Amino acid sequence: MTTAPFVQVIERNVPPVSTAGNDDDTVLGQAPFACTVTSVQYVPEAAITGAATNNRTVSLVNKGQAGAGTTTVASLSFDNGVNAVANDEKTITLSVTAANLVLAAGDTLLWRSIHVATGITDPGGVVRVTLSRS
């Protein structure tokens, strides 16, 4: 008998980064079981307008079980032509490296919002990570 994979969603509010040149890391939670990240969405509280030189990158990072990991699971740069609408989910691009999407039970997921050059602000909002049991 084959069963459908078990899916779980981690959804957390993330704070704004009101100053263009600042960054923020927010712990979203831990993988409840061995799984694969199948999607990541960001629902910003206000519009984000990308810019060519001074912009912002948001990423989902697997910090591992010891909190020292650096694996980028998903990332999106709000550069020229990449925008987000207030209160509408924006899909964050998953890593093309399949191994980067695999989590062990207890791995810590971190949401990172970093400025590029002088940066742009990040209004904060909700991050939604969908996990499928491995």
Side-chain angles (χ1 to χ4, degrees):
M1 180 170 143
T2 304
T3 59
F6 181 77
V7 175
Q8 183 164 338
V9 175
I10 295 174
E11 186 172 284
R12 297 287 183 266
N13 290 324
V14 293
V17 182
S18 307
T19 303
N22 288 358
D23 303 325
D24 187 67
D25 286 345
T26 302
V27 173
L28 299 180
Q30 293 183 312
F33 42 74
C35 57
T36 301
V37 176
T38 57
S39 70
V40 179
Q41 287 95 25
Y42 179 40
V43 183
E45 291 184 6
I48 302 172
T49 302
T53 303
N54 304 310
N55 53 60
R56 179 162 298 277
T57 298
V58 294
S59 304
L60 179 68
V61 179
N62 179 357
K63 298 299 285 181
Q65 295 177 0
T70 59
T71 302
T72 299
V73 177
S75 182
L76 183 68
S77 293
F78 288 100
D79 56 17
N80 197 34
V82 179
N83 306 312
V85 176
N87 305 308
D88 189 20
E89 69 184 29
K90 179 77 172 176
T91 298
I92 307 304
T93 307
L94 295 176
S95 173
V96 296
T97 305
N100 289 3
L101 306 177
V102 177
L103 306 176
D107 280 356
T108 298
L109 294 174
L110 178 104
W111 182 251
R112 176 164 284 157
S113 178
I114 60 170
H115 73 285
V116 176
T118 59
I120 58 176
T121 61
D122 178 348
V126 173
V127 174
R128 184 179 306 119
V129 180
T130 303
L131 309 172
S132 292
R133 187 183 294 275
S134 297

